[in-house]
Amino acid sequence: MKSKLKGFFPCLLLLHLAACAAQRPVLYPNEQLKRAGREASEKQIDECLRAAEEYVTSSSRAEEVAGNTAGSVATGAGVGAAAGAAGGAVFGHAGTGAAAGAAGGAVAGLTRGAIRGFSASGRPDPVVRNYVDRCLREKGYDVIGWN
């Protein structure tokens, strides 16, 4: 069972990181974008995002998401261990059942935390978003949305 879980946790971590990927502005293909090209415009977006993060403090929000995820993992592991121990006791393997239940519960908690983190951290703060939109507009770009 341990060998099966070894490959599962790295995959789950990648899923978690992908779910937490931040949204970025989408630019209208105006003359500035055509002149600058995709690579230069991506650098401009990065500069505006960095400037916005420096100007608008959002660290408390990131700490909240991290705390919620950690709490979900701990709760899931505890509930899973209890359920696994109870199920394992029926078949005479309470320790193995508890370990399997804790692992499964922790995975469920991390997944729940990732989903919450995506909705919270994947969408930038409205002030950050407005800052980036204005920064790009001042550079000649036209933001049509965020993905």
Side-chain angles (χ1 to χ4, degrees), residues 43-86:
K43 288 180 182 177
Q44 295 286 314
I45 290 171
D46 291 339
E47 287 176 18
C48 289
L49 285 166
R50 270 193 302 277
E53 287 301 324
E54 287 175 13
Y55 184 74
V56 181
T57 305
S58 62
S59 62
S60 62
R61 205 166 144 209
E63 290 170 5
E64 178 185 334
V65 170
N68 286 343
T69 300
S72 292
V73 170
T75 301
V79 170

PDB file of all heavy atoms in Angstrom, residues 43-86:
ATOM      1  N   LYS A  43       6.080  40.211 -20.400  1.00  0.00           N
ATOM      2  CA  LYS A  43       6.997  40.871 -19.462  1.00  0.00           C
ATOM      3  C   LYS A  43       6.351  42.117 -18.858  1.00  0.00           C
ATOM      4  O   LYS A  43       6.510  42.395 -17.673  1.00  0.00           O
ATOM      5  CB  LYS A  43       8.313  41.232 -20.150  1.00  0.00           C
ATOM      6  CG  LYS A  43       9.182  40.029 -20.441  1.00  0.00           C
ATOM      7  CD  LYS A  43      10.476  40.435 -21.114  1.00  0.00           C
ATOM      8  CE  LYS A  43      11.302  39.197 -21.438  1.00  0.00           C
ATOM      9  NZ  LYS A  43      12.539  39.535 -22.151  1.00  0.00           N
ATOM     10  N   GLN A  44       5.617  42.866 -19.680  1.00  0.00           N
ATOM     11  CA  GLN A  44       4.913  44.056 -19.187  1.00  0.00           C
ATOM     12  C   GLN A  44       3.844  43.666 -18.167  1.00  0.00           C
ATOM     13  O   GLN A  44       3.677  44.334 -17.151  1.00  0.00           O
ATOM     14  CB  GLN A  44       4.278  44.819 -20.354  1.00  0.00           C
ATOM     15  CG  GLN A  44       5.265  45.402 -21.329  1.00  0.00           C
ATOM     16  CD  GLN A  44       5.963  46.618 -20.755  1.00  0.00           C
ATOM     17  OE1 GLN A  44       5.323  47.498 -20.190  1.00  0.00           O
ATOM     18  NE2 GLN A  44       7.270  46.661 -20.892  1.00  0.00           N
ATOM     19  N   ILE A  45       3.140  42.580 -18.451  1.00  0.00           N
ATOM     20  CA  ILE A  45       2.137  42.084 -17.504  1.00  0.00           C
ATOM     21  C   ILE A  45       2.805  41.714 -16.189  1.00  0.00           C
ATOM     22  O   ILE A  45       2.331  42.092 -15.108  1.00  0.00           O
ATOM     23  CB  ILE A  45       1.362  40.878 -18.092  1.00  0.00           C
ATOM     24  CG1 ILE A  45       0.457  41.332 -19.237  1.00  0.00           C
ATOM     25  CG2 ILE A  45       0.545  40.176 -17.011  1.00  0.00           C
ATOM     26  CD1 ILE A  45      -0.178  40.194 -20.023  1.00  0.00           C
ATOM     27  N   ASP A  46       3.931  40.996 -16.265  1.00  0.00           N
ATOM     28  CA  ASP A  46       4.659  40.602 -15.058  1.00  0.00           C
ATOM     29  C   ASP A  46       5.098  41.828 -14.250  1.00  0.00           C
ATOM     30  O   ASP A  46       4.986  41.845 -13.029  1.00  0.00           O
ATOM     31  CB  ASP A  46       5.883  39.744 -15.404  1.00  0.00           C
ATOM     32  CG  ASP A  46       5.501  38.367 -15.935  1.00  0.00           C
ATOM     33  OD1 ASP A  46       4.361  37.917 -15.679  1.00  0.00           O
ATOM     34  OD2 ASP A  46       6.345  37.750 -16.609  1.00  0.00           O
ATOM     35  N   GLU A  47       5.594  42.856 -14.947  1.00  0.00           N
ATOM     36  CA  GLU A  47       6.021  44.082 -14.263  1.00  0.00           C
ATOM     37  C   GLU A  47       4.852  44.748 -13.542  1.00  0.00           C
ATOM     38  O   GLU A  47       4.981  45.190 -12.402  1.00  0.00           O
ATOM     39  CB  GLU A  47       6.651  45.056 -15.253  1.00  0.00           C
ATOM     40  CG  GLU A  47       8.020  44.646 -15.736  1.00  0.00           C
ATOM     41  CD  GLU A  47       8.564  45.596 -16.795  1.00  0.00           C
ATOM     42  OE1 GLU A  47       8.060  46.734 -16.917  1.00  0.00           O
ATOM     43  OE2 GLU A  47       9.501  45.190 -17.501  1.00  0.00           O
ATOM     44  N   CYS A  48       3.720  44.833 -14.213  1.00  0.00           N
ATOM     45  CA  CYS A  48       2.543  45.453 -13.603  1.00  0.00           C
ATOM     46  C   CYS A  48       2.040  44.639 -12.414  1.00  0.00           C
ATOM     47  O   CYS A  48       1.644  45.205 -11.393  1.00  0.00           O
ATOM     48  CB  CYS A  48       1.437  45.648 -14.640  1.00  0.00           C
ATOM     49  SG  CYS A  48       1.789  46.944 -15.864  1.00  0.00           S
ATOM     50  N   LEU A  49       2.067  43.300 -12.540  1.00  0.00           N
ATOM     51  CA  LEU A  49       1.647  42.444 -11.428  1.00  0.00           C
ATOM     52  C   LEU A  49       2.573  42.624 -10.220  1.00  0.00           C
ATOM     53  O   LEU A  49       2.108  42.720  -9.082  1.00  0.00           O
ATOM     54  CB  LEU A  49       1.617  40.979 -11.857  1.00  0.00           C
ATOM     55  CG  LEU A  49       0.449  40.562 -12.746  1.00  0.00           C
ATOM     56  CD1 LEU A  49       0.703  39.200 -13.373  1.00  0.00           C
ATOM     57  CD2 LEU A  49      -0.840  40.562 -11.956  1.00  0.00           C
ATOM     58  N   ARG A  50       3.887  42.675 -10.474  1.00  0.00           N
ATOM     59  CA  ARG A  50       4.846  42.880  -9.379  1.00  0.00           C
ATOM     60  C   ARG A  50       4.623  44.221  -8.703  1.00  0.00           C
ATOM     61  O   ARG A  50       4.616  44.328  -7.481  1.00  0.00           O
ATOM     62  CB  ARG A  50       6.285  42.787  -9.895  1.00  0.00           C
ATOM     63  CG  ARG A  50       6.860  41.392  -9.836  1.00  0.00           C
ATOM     64  CD  ARG A  50       8.358  41.401 -10.058  1.00  0.00           C
ATOM     65  NE  ARG A  50       8.767  41.995 -11.327  1.00  0.00           N
ATOM     66  CZ  ARG A  50       8.784  41.364 -12.494  1.00  0.00           C
ATOM     67  NH1 ARG A  50       8.395  40.100 -12.563  1.00  0.00           N
ATOM     68  NH2 ARG A  50       9.171  41.975 -13.592  1.00  0.00           N
ATOM     69  N   ALA A  51       4.439  45.255  -9.524  1.00  0.00           N
ATOM     70  CA  ALA A  51       4.207  46.596  -8.966  1.00  0.00           C
ATOM     71  C   ALA A  51       2.930  46.623  -8.132  1.00  0.00           C
ATOM     72  O   ALA A  51       2.895  47.227  -7.057  1.00  0.00           O
ATOM     73  CB  ALA A  51       4.134  47.625 -10.097  1.00  0.00           C
ATOM     74  N   ALA A  52       1.889  45.953  -8.617  1.00  0.00           N
ATOM     75  CA  ALA A  52       0.624  45.917  -7.880  1.00  0.00           C
ATOM     76  C   ALA A  52       0.790  45.201  -6.553  1.00  0.00           C
ATOM     77  O   ALA A  52       0.274  45.659  -5.519  1.00  0.00           O
ATOM     78  CB  ALA A  52      -0.455  45.239  -8.718  1.00  0.00           C
ATOM     79  N   GLU A  53       1.501  44.092  -6.548  1.00  0.00           N
ATOM     80  CA  GLU A  53       1.703  43.342  -5.302  1.00  0.00           C
ATOM     81  C   GLU A  53       2.524  44.146  -4.302  1.00  0.00           C
ATOM     82  O   GLU A  53       2.304  44.056  -3.106  1.00  0.00           O
ATOM     83  CB  GLU A  53       2.371  41.992  -5.582  1.00  0.00           C
ATOM     84  CG  GLU A  53       1.447  40.993  -6.239  1.00  0.00           C
ATOM     85  CD  GLU A  53       0.206  40.666  -5.423  1.00  0.00           C
ATOM     86  OE1 GLU A  53       0.278  40.605  -4.187  1.00  0.00           O
ATOM     87  OE2 GLU A  53      -0.860  40.487  -6.036  1.00  0.00           O
ATOM     88  N   GLU A  54       3.489  44.920  -4.797  1.00  0.00           N
ATOM     89  CA  GLU A  54       4.276  45.764  -3.898  1.00  0.00           C
ATOM     90  C   GLU A  54       3.416  46.876  -3.317  1.00  0.00           C
ATOM     91  O   GLU A  54       3.570  47.238  -2.159  1.00  0.00           O
ATOM     92  CB  GLU A  54       5.471  46.366  -4.642  1.00  0.00           C
ATOM     93  CG  GLU A  54       6.555  45.367  -4.942  1.00  0.00           C
ATOM     94  CD  GLU A  54       7.674  45.963  -5.781  1.00  0.00           C
ATOM     95  OE1 GLU A  54       7.745  47.204  -5.936  1.00  0.00           O
ATOM     96  OE2 GLU A  54       8.488  45.176  -6.287  1.00  0.00           O
ATOM     97  N   TYR A  55       2.525  47.414  -4.130  1.00  0.00           N
ATOM     98  CA  TYR A  55       1.706  48.540  -3.697  1.00  0.00           C
ATOM     99  C   TYR A  55       0.541  48.112  -2.806  1.00  0.00           C
ATOM    100  O   TYR A  55       0.239  48.743  -1.824  1.00  0.00           O
ATOM    101  CB  TYR A  55       1.175  49.300  -4.919  1.00  0.00           C
ATOM    102  CG  TYR A  55       0.406  50.534  -4.556  1.00  0.00           C
ATOM    103  CD1 TYR A  55       1.065  51.674  -4.107  1.00  0.00           C
ATOM    104  CD2 TYR A  55      -0.977  50.569  -4.632  1.00  0.00           C
ATOM    105  CE1 TYR A  55       0.367  52.804  -3.754  1.00  0.00           C
ATOM    106  CE2 TYR A  55      -1.681  51.700  -4.286  1.00  0.00           C
ATOM    107  CZ  TYR A  55      -1.010  52.818  -3.841  1.00  0.00           C
ATOM    108  OH  TYR A  55      -1.711  53.932  -3.481  1.00  0.00           O
ATOM    109  N   VAL A  56      -0.097  47.032  -3.180  1.00  0.00           N
ATOM    110  CA  VAL A  56      -1.279  46.557  -2.451  1.00  0.00           C
ATOM    111  C   VAL A  56      -0.875  45.345  -1.618  1.00  0.00           C
ATOM    112  O   VAL A  56      -0.531  44.311  -2.156  1.00  0.00           O
ATOM    113  CB  VAL A  56      -2.413  46.163  -3.425  1.00  0.00           C
ATOM    114  CG1 VAL A  56      -3.633  45.702  -2.653  1.00  0.00           C
ATOM    115  CG2 VAL A  56      -2.756  47.314  -4.342  1.00  0.00           C
ATOM    116  N   THR A  57      -0.905  45.474  -0.317  1.00  0.00           N
ATOM    117  CA  THR A  57      -0.517  44.380   0.562  1.00  0.00           C
ATOM    118  C   THR A  57      -1.630  43.347   0.606  1.00  0.00           C
ATOM    119  O   THR A  57      -2.745  43.640   0.985  1.00  0.00           O
ATOM    120  CB  THR A  57      -0.243  44.890   1.981  1.00  0.00           C
ATOM    121  OG1 THR A  57       0.720  45.922   1.890  1.00  0.00           O
ATOM    122  CG2 THR A  57       0.240  43.795   2.881  1.00  0.00           C
ATOM    123  N   SER A  58      -1.273  42.097   0.201  1.00  0.00           N
ATOM    124  CA  SER A  58      -2.259  41.017   0.232  1.00  0.00           C
ATOM    125  C   SER A  58      -1.734  39.820   1.006  1.00  0.00           C
ATOM    126  O   SER A  58      -2.247  38.729   0.874  1.00  0.00           O
ATOM    127  CB  SER A  58      -2.642  40.617  -1.188  1.00  0.00           C
ATOM    128  OG  SER A  58      -1.511  40.137  -1.863  1.00  0.00           O
ATOM    129  N   SER A  59      -0.691  40.020   1.823  1.00  0.00           N
ATOM    130  CA  SER A  59      -0.095  38.900   2.549  1.00  0.00           C
ATOM    131  C   SER A  59      -1.060  38.300   3.556  1.00  0.00           C
ATOM    132  O   SER A  59      -1.044  37.098   3.795  1.00  0.00           O
ATOM    133  CB  SER A  59       1.199  39.334   3.233  1.00  0.00           C
ATOM    134  OG  SER A  59       0.934  40.331   4.183  1.00  0.00           O
ATOM    135  N   SER A  60      -1.911  39.110   4.148  1.00  0.00           N
ATOM    136  CA  SER A  60      -2.848  38.556   5.127  1.00  0.00           C
ATOM    137  C   SER A  60      -3.810  37.582   4.459  1.00  0.00           C
ATOM    138  O   SER A  60      -4.215  36.595   5.049  1.00  0.00           O
ATOM    139  CB  SER A  60      -3.626  39.678   5.819  1.00  0.00           C
ATOM    140  OG  SER A  60      -4.390  40.402   4.883  1.00  0.00           O
ATOM    141  N   ARG A  61      -4.161  37.837   3.209  1.00  0.00           N
ATOM    142  CA  ARG A  61      -5.045  36.943   2.478  1.00  0.00           C
ATOM    143  C   ARG A  61      -4.356  35.611   2.186  1.00  0.00           C
ATOM    144  O   ARG A  61      -4.943  34.557   2.299  1.00  0.00           O
ATOM    145  CB  ARG A  61      -5.462  37.621   1.179  1.00  0.00           C
ATOM    146  CG  ARG A  61      -6.755  37.110   0.652  1.00  0.00           C
ATOM    147  CD  ARG A  61      -7.267  38.027  -0.409  1.00  0.00           C
ATOM    148  NE  ARG A  61      -7.891  37.150  -1.360  1.00  0.00           N
ATOM    149  CZ  ARG A  61      -7.993  37.381  -2.626  1.00  0.00           C
ATOM    150  NH1 ARG A  61      -7.511  38.465  -3.131  1.00  0.00           N
ATOM    151  NH2 ARG A  61      -8.588  36.526  -3.403  1.00  0.00           N
ATOM    152  N   ALA A  62      -3.071  35.673   1.815  1.00  0.00           N
ATOM    153  CA  ALA A  62      -2.323  34.449   1.540  1.00  0.00           C
ATOM    154  C   ALA A  62      -2.185  33.614   2.802  1.00  0.00           C
ATOM    155  O   ALA A  62      -2.297  32.394   2.763  1.00  0.00           O
ATOM    156  CB  ALA A  62      -0.944  34.799   0.982  1.00  0.00           C
ATOM    157  N   GLU A  63      -1.958  34.276   3.934  1.00  0.00           N
ATOM    158  CA  GLU A  63      -1.851  33.559   5.202  1.00  0.00           C
ATOM    159  C   GLU A  63      -3.176  32.885   5.549  1.00  0.00           C
ATOM    160  O   GLU A  63      -3.201  31.772   6.064  1.00  0.00           O
ATOM    161  CB  GLU A  63      -1.448  34.519   6.317  1.00  0.00           C
ATOM    162  CG  GLU A  63      -0.014  35.005   6.208  1.00  0.00           C
ATOM    163  CD  GLU A  63       0.304  36.134   7.163  1.00  0.00           C
ATOM    164  OE1 GLU A  63      -0.567  36.489   7.995  1.00  0.00           O
ATOM    165  OE2 GLU A  63       1.420  36.667   7.080  1.00  0.00           O
ATOM    166  N   GLU A  64      -4.272  33.546   5.243  1.00  0.00           N
ATOM    167  CA  GLU A  64      -5.596  32.971   5.514  1.00  0.00           C
ATOM    168  C   GLU A  64      -5.813  31.702   4.697  1.00  0.00           C
ATOM    169  O   GLU A  64      -6.274  30.690   5.208  1.00  0.00           O
ATOM    170  CB  GLU A  64      -6.677  34.004   5.182  1.00  0.00           C
ATOM    171  CG  GLU A  64      -8.087  33.500   5.380  1.00  0.00           C
ATOM    172  CD  GLU A  64      -9.120  34.510   4.918  1.00  0.00           C
ATOM    173  OE1 GLU A  64      -8.829  35.709   4.903  1.00  0.00           O
ATOM    174  OE2 GLU A  64     -10.230  34.068   4.574  1.00  0.00           O
ATOM    175  N   VAL A  65      -5.450  31.743   3.409  1.00  0.00           N
ATOM    176  CA  VAL A  65      -5.608  30.570   2.540  1.00  0.00           C
ATOM    177  C   VAL A  65      -4.733  29.427   3.041  1.00  0.00           C
ATOM    178  O   VAL A  65      -5.173  28.284   3.126  1.00  0.00           O
ATOM    179  CB  VAL A  65      -5.266  30.929   1.079  1.00  0.00           C
ATOM    180  CG1 VAL A  65      -5.183  29.676   0.219  1.00  0.00           C
ATOM    181  CG2 VAL A  65      -6.310  31.878   0.515  1.00  0.00           C
ATOM    182  N   ALA A  66      -3.480  29.728   3.390  1.00  0.00           N
ATOM    183  CA  ALA A  66      -2.575  28.689   3.883  1.00  0.00           C
ATOM    184  C   ALA A  66      -3.110  28.086   5.170  1.00  0.00           C
ATOM    185  O   ALA A  66      -3.077  26.868   5.370  1.00  0.00           O
ATOM    186  CB  ALA A  66      -1.186  29.271   4.110  1.00  0.00           C
ATOM    187  N   GLY A  67      -3.637  28.909   6.055  1.00  0.00           N
ATOM    188  CA  GLY A  67      -4.200  28.412   7.309  1.00  0.00           C
ATOM    189  C   GLY A  67      -5.409  27.532   7.081  1.00  0.00           C
ATOM    190  O   GLY A  67      -5.563  26.486   7.715  1.00  0.00           O
ATOM    191  N   ASN A  68      -6.265  27.924   6.149  1.00  0.00           N
ATOM    192  CA  ASN A  68      -7.446  27.113   5.833  1.00  0.00           C
ATOM    193  C   ASN A  68      -7.049  25.764   5.257  1.00  0.00           C
ATOM    194  O   ASN A  68      -7.638  24.741   5.593  1.00  0.00           O
ATOM    195  CB  ASN A  68      -8.350  27.848   4.829  1.00  0.00           C
ATOM    196  CG  ASN A  68      -9.101  28.997   5.470  1.00  0.00           C
ATOM    197  OD1 ASN A  68      -9.206  29.078   6.689  1.00  0.00           O
ATOM    198  ND2 ASN A  68      -9.603  29.897   4.653  1.00  0.00           N
ATOM    199  N   THR A  69      -6.042  25.741   4.389  1.00  0.00           N
ATOM    200  CA  THR A  69      -5.588  24.486   3.790  1.00  0.00           C
ATOM    201  C   THR A  69      -5.002  23.576   4.850  1.00  0.00           C
ATOM    202  O   THR A  69      -5.309  22.386   4.906  1.00  0.00           O
ATOM    203  CB  THR A  69      -4.558  24.750   2.679  1.00  0.00           C
ATOM    204  OG1 THR A  69      -5.177  25.569   1.678  1.00  0.00           O
ATOM    205  CG2 THR A  69      -4.094  23.455   2.039  1.00  0.00           C
ATOM    206  N   ALA A  70      -4.146  24.132   5.721  1.00  0.00           N
ATOM    207  CA  ALA A  70      -3.539  23.328   6.790  1.00  0.00           C
ATOM    208  C   ALA A  70      -4.616  22.766   7.717  1.00  0.00           C
ATOM    209  O   ALA A  70      -4.565  21.603   8.122  1.00  0.00           O
ATOM    210  CB  ALA A  70      -2.544  24.169   7.581  1.00  0.00           C
ATOM    211  N   GLY A  71      -5.610  23.577   8.031  1.00  0.00           N
ATOM    212  CA  GLY A  71      -6.705  23.107   8.879  1.00  0.00           C
ATOM    213  C   GLY A  71      -7.498  21.994   8.222  1.00  0.00           C
ATOM    214  O   GLY A  71      -7.881  21.026   8.878  1.00  0.00           O
ATOM    215  N   SER A  72      -7.719  22.103   6.923  1.00  0.00           N
ATOM    216  CA  SER A  72      -8.439  21.059   6.198  1.00  0.00           C
ATOM    217  C   SER A  72      -7.671  19.744   6.204  1.00  0.00           C
ATOM    218  O   SER A  72      -8.241  18.673   6.362  1.00  0.00           O
ATOM    219  CB  SER A  72      -8.682  21.486   4.747  1.00  0.00           C
ATOM    220  OG  SER A  72      -9.580  22.558   4.692  1.00  0.00           O
ATOM    221  N   VAL A  73      -6.344  19.822   6.029  1.00  0.00           N
ATOM    222  CA  VAL A  73      -5.513  18.614   6.029  1.00  0.00           C
ATOM    223  C   VAL A  73      -5.557  17.955   7.399  1.00  0.00           C
ATOM    224  O   VAL A  73      -5.739  16.744   7.522  1.00  0.00           O
ATOM    225  CB  VAL A  73      -4.058  18.938   5.614  1.00  0.00           C
ATOM    226  CG1 VAL A  73      -3.149  17.738   5.842  1.00  0.00           C
ATOM    227  CG2 VAL A  73      -4.012  19.359   4.154  1.00  0.00           C
ATOM    228  N   ALA A  74      -5.377  18.746   8.461  1.00  0.00           N
ATOM    229  CA  ALA A  74      -5.372  18.198   9.822  1.00  0.00           C
ATOM    230  C   ALA A  74      -6.716  17.566  10.165  1.00  0.00           C
ATOM    231  O   ALA A  74      -6.772  16.459  10.716  1.00  0.00           O
ATOM    232  CB  ALA A  74      -5.020  19.285  10.828  1.00  0.00           C
ATOM    233  N   THR A  75      -7.797  18.246   9.840  1.00  0.00           N
ATOM    234  CA  THR A  75      -9.126  17.713  10.127  1.00  0.00           C
ATOM    235  C   THR A  75      -9.374  16.431   9.343  1.00  0.00           C
ATOM    236  O   THR A  75      -9.854  15.435   9.891  1.00  0.00           O
ATOM    237  CB  THR A  75     -10.212  18.760   9.779  1.00  0.00           C
ATOM    238  OG1 THR A  75      -9.966  19.930  10.547  1.00  0.00           O
ATOM    239  CG2 THR A  75     -11.603  18.230  10.056  1.00  0.00           C
ATOM    240  N   GLY A  76      -9.015  16.452   8.057  1.00  0.00           N
ATOM    241  CA  GLY A  76      -9.208  15.269   7.222  1.00  0.00           C
ATOM    242  C   GLY A  76      -8.400  14.087   7.723  1.00  0.00           C
ATOM    243  O   GLY A  76      -8.887  12.952   7.763  1.00  0.00           O
ATOM    244  N   ALA A  77      -7.159  14.333   8.152  1.00  0.00           N
ATOM    245  CA  ALA A  77      -6.312  13.248   8.663  1.00  0.00           C
ATOM    246  C   ALA A  77      -6.895  12.675   9.939  1.00  0.00           C
ATOM    247  O   ALA A  77      -6.922  11.452  10.137  1.00  0.00           O
ATOM    248  CB  ALA A  77      -4.892  13.752   8.906  1.00  0.00           C
ATOM    249  N   GLY A  78      -7.379  13.533  10.833  1.00  0.00           N
ATOM    250  CA  GLY A  78      -7.966  13.064  12.097  1.00  0.00           C
ATOM    251  C   GLY A  78      -9.214  12.237  11.878  1.00  0.00           C
ATOM    252  O   GLY A  78      -9.366  11.139  12.442  1.00  0.00           O
ATOM    253  N   VAL A  79     -10.106  12.747  11.061  1.00  0.00           N
ATOM    254  CA  VAL A  79     -11.354  12.025  10.777  1.00  0.00           C
ATOM    255  C   VAL A  79     -11.045  10.721  10.051  1.00  0.00           C
ATOM    256  O   VAL A  79     -11.607   9.659  10.357  1.00  0.00           O
ATOM    257  CB  VAL A  79     -12.317  12.915   9.954  1.00  0.00           C
ATOM    258  CG1 VAL A  79     -13.506  12.114   9.448  1.00  0.00           C
ATOM    259  CG2 VAL A  79     -12.787  14.100  10.786  1.00  0.00           C
ATOM    260  N   GLY A  80     -10.120  10.781   9.087  1.00  0.00           N
ATOM    261  CA  GLY A  80      -9.760   9.574   8.342  1.00  0.00           C
ATOM    262  C   GLY A  80      -9.122   8.519   9.227  1.00  0.00           C
ATOM    263  O   GLY A  80      -9.389   7.325   9.090  1.00  0.00           O
ATOM    264  N   ALA A  81      -8.265   8.942  10.172  1.00  0.00           N
ATOM    265  CA  ALA A  81      -7.616   7.992  11.086  1.00  0.00           C
ATOM    266  C   ALA A  81      -8.655   7.296  11.958  1.00  0.00           C
ATOM    267  O   ALA A  81      -8.597   6.075  12.160  1.00  0.00           O
ATOM    268  CB  ALA A  81      -6.583   8.704  11.950  1.00  0.00           C
ATOM    269  N   ALA A  82      -9.605   8.078  12.468  1.00  0.00           N
ATOM    270  CA  ALA A  82     -10.642   7.491  13.315  1.00  0.00           C
ATOM    271  C   ALA A  82     -11.493   6.495  12.527  1.00  0.00           C
ATOM    272  O   ALA A  82     -11.763   5.379  12.983  1.00  0.00           O
ATOM    273  CB  ALA A  82     -11.518   8.595  13.909  1.00  0.00           C
ATOM    274  N   ALA A  83     -11.897   6.900  11.326  1.00  0.00           N
ATOM    275  CA  ALA A  83     -12.721   6.012  10.504  1.00  0.00           C
ATOM    276  C   ALA A  83     -11.931   4.776  10.088  1.00  0.00           C
ATOM    277  O   ALA A  83     -12.454   3.651  10.094  1.00  0.00           O
ATOM    278  CB  ALA A  83     -13.227   6.761   9.271  1.00  0.00           C
ATOM    279  N   GLY A  84     -10.658   4.983   9.734  1.00  0.00           N
ATOM    280  CA  GLY A  84      -9.821   3.853   9.330  1.00  0.00           C
ATOM    281  C   GLY A  84      -9.578   2.885  10.469  1.00  0.00           C
ATOM    282  O   GLY A  84      -9.575   1.666  10.283  1.00  0.00           O
ATOM    283  N   ALA A  85      -9.373   3.409  11.679  1.00  0.00           N
ATOM    284  CA  ALA A  85      -9.164   2.547  12.849  1.00  0.00           C
ATOM    285  C   ALA A  85     -10.421   1.734  13.137  1.00  0.00           C
ATOM    286  O   ALA A  85     -10.339   0.534  13.428  1.00  0.00           O
ATOM    287  CB  ALA A  85      -8.779   3.381  14.061  1.00  0.00           C
ATOM    288  N   ALA A  86     -11.565   2.379  13.039  1.00  0.00           N
ATOM    289  CA  ALA A  86     -12.819   1.669  13.284  1.00  0.00           C
ATOM    290  C   ALA A  86     -13.031   0.578  12.243  1.00  0.00           C
ATOM    291  O   ALA A  86     -13.371  -0.569  12.568  1.00  0.00           O
ATOM    292  CB  ALA A  86     -13.989   2.651  13.266  1.00  0.00           C
TER     293      ALA A  86
END
